[in-house]
Amino acid sequence: LRPSGSGAHDEYLVAPGLSIASRGEVASVALFTTRAMSDVRSIALDVSSRTSVALVRVLCSRHYGIGPRLASHGPDLAGMLANCDAALLIGDKALFQPTLVEGVRARVEKIDLGAVWTAMTGLPFVWAFWAGRRTALTACQILLLQEARDGGIAGTRGGSAASDPVGQRLELRRLDIDPLAAAVVDREGRLGEQQALLGLLQVDAPA
């Protein structure tokens, strides 16, 4: 399993039909801001995900048209917003963070970065993908991975939304978004368009 932000390498082949991806909202990668994004001048970053940090840079430049100061910070929203206009949180910190923040007087808005990416590009966002060395990854191994994916998706069906601590079940079926079909790899099976936009690869994105 390789994060998209790790870059692609010629010796790796992307396994088809296998990715951790979102089409629209992802819920677990978000900016929390005390002002309109057009007025944001500084963002505190949880740097535990290189892919998410790169996505923030792209969205600020391409979608919001801003160039804020970016600062690394531990994932403590009150502390982050004490020093910056907005903050990037990832994982459970983003999922469970209320928008009423102790010690922060201003109203805090949560902006889902998966939703913003899809609104900007019309594409899913591939956060991570399965890959193997070209000399080692076999068709049998890919089939086993796809069967594991299908079993995991089947296991989420029929679950009770009431038992979910965030009040709704995350759509794990999004795991079957194919990075090849999502228009984020090049013809050689390497991540291309998405990583070019994130500034991680020097390749030409399709017109």
Side-chain angles (χ1 to χ4, degrees):
L1 180 65
R2 296 178 59 82
S4 296
S6 66
H9 300 279
D10 287 342
E11 68 265 28
Y12 285 100
L13 181 68
V14 178
L18 295 158
S19 67
I20 296 177
S22 60
R23 182 179 289 108
E25 292 184 2
V26 66
S28 58
V29 183
L31 281 175
F32 292 81
T33 178
T34 56
R35 57 182 63 189
M37 285 301 297
S38 58
D39 296 328
V40 166
R41 297 294 176 262
S42 58
I43 300 177
L45 300 172
D46 174 352
V47 294
S48 59
S49 167
R50 179 183 174 188
T51 300
S52 300
V53 171
L55 179 57
V56 167
R57 294 177 183 273
V58 169
L59 294 179
C60 284
S61 174
R62 300 291 187 91
H63 186 72
Y64 294 111
I66 58 175
R69 175 177 62 85
L70 303 178
S72 301
H73 201 288
D76 165 42
L77 187 57
M80 297 167 101
L81 293 180
N83 296 293
C84 295
D85 298 330
L88 169 68
L89 289 180
I90 300 160
D92 286 352
K93 291 287 187 179
L95 277 172
F96 300 112
Q97 175 63 55
T99 53
L100 291 176
V101 182
E102 185 176 354
V104 178
R105 294 183 178 181
R107 174 179 173 272
V108 177
E109 178 187 3
K110 178 180 180 179
I111 299 175
D112 188 298
L113 297 192
V116 177
W117 168 268
T118 299
M120 183 179 79
T121 66
L123 297 172
F125 190 86
V126 177
W127 304 93
F129 57 94
W130 275 261
R133 294 186 184 278
R134 292 177 180 273
T135 57
L137 185 63
T138 67
C140 181
Q141 291 169 336
I142 292 174
L143 180 60
L144 289 173
L145 286 169
Q146 291 173 340
E147 288 176 348
R149 173 205 64 199
D150 294 342
I153 293 170
T156 66
R157 291 175 180 147
S160 169
S163 66
D164 192 309
V166 297
Q168 60 182 3
R169 296 194 64 79
L170 295 178
E171 296 182 58
L172 295 183
R173 64 179 178 272
R174 291 177 180 175
L175 287 166
D176 68 354
I177 291 175
D178 190 338
L180 300 173
V184 292
V185 296
D186 66 19
R187 293 179 181 178
E188 299 301 318
R190 296 171 298 189
L191 287 186
E193 180 180 353
Q194 175 174 302
Q195 289 195 321
L197 195 52
L198 294 181
L200 300 173
L201 285 178
Q202 297 301 315
V203 298
D204 294 327

